[in-house]
Amino acid sequence: MNILVTLDRGYLSPLKVMLTSLLAANPDPAIHLYILHSSLTEEDLAGISALDGSGRFQATGIPVADPRLDNAPTTDRYPKEMYYRIFAAQYLPESLDRILYLDPDLIVNLPLEELYATDLGNNLFAAATHVQETFRKLNELRLDIDEGGIYINSGVMLLNLPLLRREQDFDEVFAFIEAHKKHLFLPDQDILSALYAGRILELDPFRYNMTERLFALRIDSDAWLNLEWVRKNSAIIHYCGRNKPWKPNYRGKLNLFYDHVLRDMEK
């Protein structure tokens, strides 16, 4: 199972919690982690590799220095590294045919083999959406997304690497960034959704990108305020946005999954 993360040094601690949960929930497959970065040290990478000594886990750091990203929009919450996932197919070894991207701010609660084996067909990505109809229409207008295209959450994505290598147009991406600079709220998600909406296989967010908002506000779902349902059915719990379980004053219920992994690490 090939896993991808992109991050700066500020997310090392959450990354280690995420990886601990990934290894615990997937005890059988060999896992090769690829880290696209521009700031990690050899000591940082050694600390990640040391999370598992069984021999089934391998971590490879790939430093990225792409001057074409020098003028891409960034913020303190959305550093340059977020763009690496867009162009991951160009930076990863050509021997890989698929990889599962995971944000560092999530917990893997159940095995991921079924997700990893998803038939992508002619799709470039598989990802979930958190956006309901009203906001989907607004995003279509804001980003010139084709009608009916989904707006994805980029925290969990399965990438079809051979197709991306053949079809992804760097110039198209940078032209979109330049044309929409003032309207990019969540830059990587905006770009991916706008340019590839028709080539994204939609995943079930309750299974593969569960959030506090889904848990608390989707009253028409079995998961609504039901922690036991989440425990049994949600393979990935994603703490997206500013509400992080490692920060003071976390609001919600799903932090118990994060806290459980953290307690096991501290034993």
Side-chain angles (χ1 to χ4, degrees), residues 47-220:
I48 294 168
S49 297
L51 287 172
D52 184 275
S54 67
R56 70 181 182 97
F57 175 65
Q58 181 179 354
T60 299
I62 301 176
V64 177
D66 195 332
R68 291 171 295 186
L69 294 177
D70 287 347
N71 296 318
T74 61
T75 69
D76 59 336
R77 288 181 63 203
Y78 304 107
K80 187 183 298 185
E81 284 81 358
M82 70 182 165
Y83 292 102
Y84 298 169
R85 77 191 78 171
I86 298 175
F87 301 117
Q90 312 300 323
Y91 306 136
L92 291 165
E94 290 194 7
S95 58
L96 304 184
D97 65 350
R98 67 174 51 206
I99 199 163
L100 178 61
Y101 172 81
L102 298 175
D103 263 354
D105 61 349
L106 58 78
I107 289 294
V108 179
N109 180 54
L110 296 171
L112 298 181
E113 286 97 335
E114 184 177 346
L115 170 60
Y116 191 79
T118 298
D119 184 359
L120 288 167
N122 196 43
N123 291 293
L124 299 171
F125 301 92
T129 181
H130 293 155
V131 176
Q132 294 180 300
E133 184 65 15
T134 301
F135 289 103
R136 185 177 66 80
K137 291 292 186 182
L138 290 174
N139 282 325
E140 286 179 2
L141 294 172
R142 179 172 65 90
L143 299 168
D144 300 323
I145 297 176
D146 292 339
E147 185 175 354
I150 68 170
Y151 184 90
I152 65 165
N153 179 280
S154 61
V156 179
M157 297 189 298
L158 188 64
L159 280 63
N160 188 337
L161 296 177
L163 275 184
L164 282 165
R165 291 187 193 104
R166 289 200 299 270
E167 300 186 22
Q168 192 173 45
D169 185 339
F170 268 53
D171 292 336
E172 180 186 28
V173 173
F174 294 120
F176 180 86
I177 293 172
E178 184 61 32
H180 295 83
K181 271 185 178 180
K182 295 180 180 179
H183 305 289
L184 297 179
F185 297 154
L186 305 170
D188 63 315
Q189 293 184 176
D190 288 350
I191 295 163
L192 289 165
S193 300
L195 294 181
Y196 308 122
R199 304 286 298 280
I200 300 173
L201 178 67
E202 189 169 352
L203 299 175
D204 181 352
F206 294 95
R207 290 189 67 194
Y208 295 124
N209 207 322
M210 185 64 177
T211 68
E212 287 286 0
R213 185 173 292 274
L214 290 177
F215 179 72
L217 299 181
R218 295 287 179 90
I219 60 175
D220 57 344

